[in-house]
Amino acid sequence: MSGSRLNVLFLVESLAGGGAEKVLSGLVRGLDRDKFNVTVCAVVDCGQYRDEVRKYARYRFIVGGRGWLYRLKYALVYRFLPAGWIYKWFIAGDYDVEAAFTEGLPTRLLAAAPGGKTGKTRKIAWVHVDLEARPWTQGVVFRSLDEEKRAYGRFHAVVQVSRTVKEAFERRFGTHPGSVVLHNPVDRDEVLAKAAAVAEVPGKKCFRIVSAGRLEEQKGFDRLVRALARLKERGRAAELVLLGEGSLRNGLERLAAGLGVSESLLMPGFMENPYPWMAGADLFVCSSRSEGMSTVVTEALILGVPVLAVECSGIGEQLGMGRFGRMVDNNDEALARALEDFVSGRESCAEWRKKAALGGRQVAYAGAVREVERLLEGAER
């Protein structure tokens, strides 16, 4: 320990613009620095949240730089070196708590630490996604389901970000004695303050639908582009704004061009402050094929924006089982029909705005951070 403070390490793959990374940057800002001396270690030195994290925590990384040395180190870490060696050479330190804040490689690396549960360091794993619906770690990070199950067994606690994520985890890996549900801390005051900032947001031409996240298959943005084309065919005027960046940008642009809706699609890229865009939306949509707990849905509620979401892990808890936002089945047809209901006026945006604001007022950042602090300290819940 450093005086009376606990030395805490959070290990992540990177600090790129994903939901878990955004949550971590907000979490380290809120942790009591009189109690915790925080280090964040990224496997790969990249991402939009590095500067924010550095304000509140020591920052380290394993793979950085550029050129041949970067490529060599990346290959060694991801393909060749045993996890135990990587832990010993690049991660180990005088930590009271070590937390794998994302699934996959961070979980595998901390599980490889000598001693496991018998060592002096308290080990915690976070699960942000439904690993039953989206078992992306299999064959990529872990060779088998049994290997991944053994890895989680070496942690004192496993945090799931929603009840449905916990249920999916237990169906896949069995029960864990240290399993706990902790909702992601989202700072309501910060969201509202940033939404009020001066920003260059183009004026609306018609009904504006906004969604946000990495431009990847999981987020289901292709569904929204196809739904936009369906609205156009039916004479409904709408525009779609996708806030984020990712590997599917070109594919989404080609899809929009092929469907004749390029002029109604805006993709301004990743934004450090997306809230003025979100606050000005007529409707915020979560179209994800799978989730754990959608941070942007919580942020939309805070902003009092009507929310439409397909049912996936965490959504029911966030939307009060439909009290704060409309929930529909997780398929293309249900999503398209619901979008048309809002654009046509069959669903009242004014009424859903009131319901969203009610849900947003229930978001408690400080309380969520205190729950994490209790967990880091090893308090019984």
Side-chain angles (χ1 to χ4, degrees), residues 133-148:
R134 186 171 173 252
W136 69 271
T137 55
Q138 288 298 297
V140 176
V141 178
F142 295 98
R143 289 168 293 186
S144 67
L145 181 64
D146 190 57
E147 181 186 44
E148 190 168 10

Side-chain angles (χ1 to χ4, degrees), residues 212-230:
R214 296 184 310 277
L215 304 182
E216 306 294 345
E217 191 268 346
Q218 175 206 351
K219 298 299 181 181
F221 293 144
D222 56 305
R223 299 163 139 182
L224 291 179
V225 174
R226 284 191 287 270
L228 186 66
R230 172 169 163 164

Side-chain angles (χ1 to χ4, degrees), residues 121-136:
T121 302
R122 179 169 168 78
K123 296 191 181 298
I124 304 171
W126 253 264
V127 181
H128 293 268
V129 300
D130 183 333
L131 287 172
E132 183 181 45
R134 186 171 173 252
W136 69 271

Side-chain angles (χ1 to χ4, degrees), residues 5-10 23-40 53 55-58 97 99 101 124 126 182 185 187 365-377:
R5 295 194 297 172
L6 287 175
N7 289 323
V8 178
L9 171 75
F10 289 104
V23 167
L24 178 59
S25 71
L27 174 60
V28 298
R29 173 167 47 82
L31 289 173
D32 187 339
R33 284 184 285 284
D34 290 331
K35 294 182 178 180
F36 304 98
N37 181 35
V38 179
T39 298
V40 173
V53 163
K55 294 176 185 176
Y56 307 102
R58 181 188 176 209
V97 182
F101 200 72
I124 304 171
W126 253 264
L182 294 181
D187 191 335
Y365 168 72
V369 173
R370 297 293 87 79
E371 285 292 294
V372 174
E373 290 182 344
R374 283 171 52 80
L375 178 73
L376 296 177
E377 293 170 328

Side-chain angles (χ1 to χ4, degrees), residues 193-215:
K194 287 186 173 182
V198 176
E200 294 184 6
V201 178
K204 292 187 290 187
K205 300 176 183 177
C206 52
F207 191 99
R208 177 169 285 177
I209 302 162
V210 173
S211 194
R214 296 184 310 277
L215 304 182

Side-chain angles (χ1 to χ4, degrees), residues 139-335:
V140 176
V141 178
F142 295 98
R143 289 168 293 186
S144 67
L145 181 64
D146 190 57
E147 181 186 44
E148 190 168 10
K149 181 177 179 179
R150 288 198 303 272
Y152 280 112
R154 293 176 66 84
F155 288 85
H156 295 89
V158 177
V159 177
Q160 287 94 9
V161 298
S162 69
R163 289 192 302 272
T164 42
V165 166
K166 179 177 183 287
E167 291 162 3
F169 180 92
E170 291 179 346
R171 285 193 296 270
R172 187 162 179 80
F173 301 108
T175 57
H176 188 287
S179 184
V180 60
V181 174
L182 294 181
H183 291 169
N184 289 330
V186 179
D187 191 335
R188 185 173 184 272
D189 292 340
E190 182 191 38
V191 171
L192 292 172
K194 287 186 173 182
V198 176
E200 294 184 6
V201 178
K204 292 187 290 187
K205 300 176 183 177
C206 52
F207 191 99
R208 177 169 285 177
I209 302 162
V210 173
S211 194
R214 296 184 310 277
L215 304 182
E216 306 294 345
E217 191 268 346
Q218 175 206 351
K219 298 299 181 181
F221 293 144
D222 56 305
R223 299 163 139 182
L224 291 179
V225 174
R226 284 191 287 270
L228 186 66
R230 172 169 163 164
L231 289 169
K232 181 179 179 181
E233 290 172 1
R234 300 188 178 194
R236 306 292 187 186
E239 62 181 5
L240 172 64
V241 179
L242 300 179
L243 303 173
E245 199 52 80
S247 65
L248 294 186
R249 168 176 282 275
N250 292 339
L252 291 168
E253 289 173 343
R254 287 194 300 270
L255 178 62
L259 294 172
V261 292
S262 292
E263 73 285 352
S264 300
L265 176 64
L266 288 76
M267 290 196 293
F270 174 84
M271 292 185 172
E272 289 187 9
N273 182 11
Y275 306 119
W277 284 85
M278 292 173 62
D282 293 297
L283 179 68
F284 186 87
V285 180
C286 174
S287 56
S288 297
R289 292 182 168 91
S290 66
E291 278 291 348
M293 176 68 81
S294 174
T295 300
V296 288
V297 164
T298 300
E299 291 168 342
L301 294 178
I302 289 170
L303 294 170
V305 178
V307 173
L308 166 64
V310 295
E311 292 196 46
C312 51
S313 287
I315 290 297
E317 290 163 65
Q318 292 175 281
L319 296 185
M321 299 310 294
R323 287 187 295 128
F324 308 135
R326 183 171 172 188
M327 299 165 55
V328 297
D329 290 342
N330 199 331
N331 61 65
D332 293 13
E333 177 62 23
L335 178 60

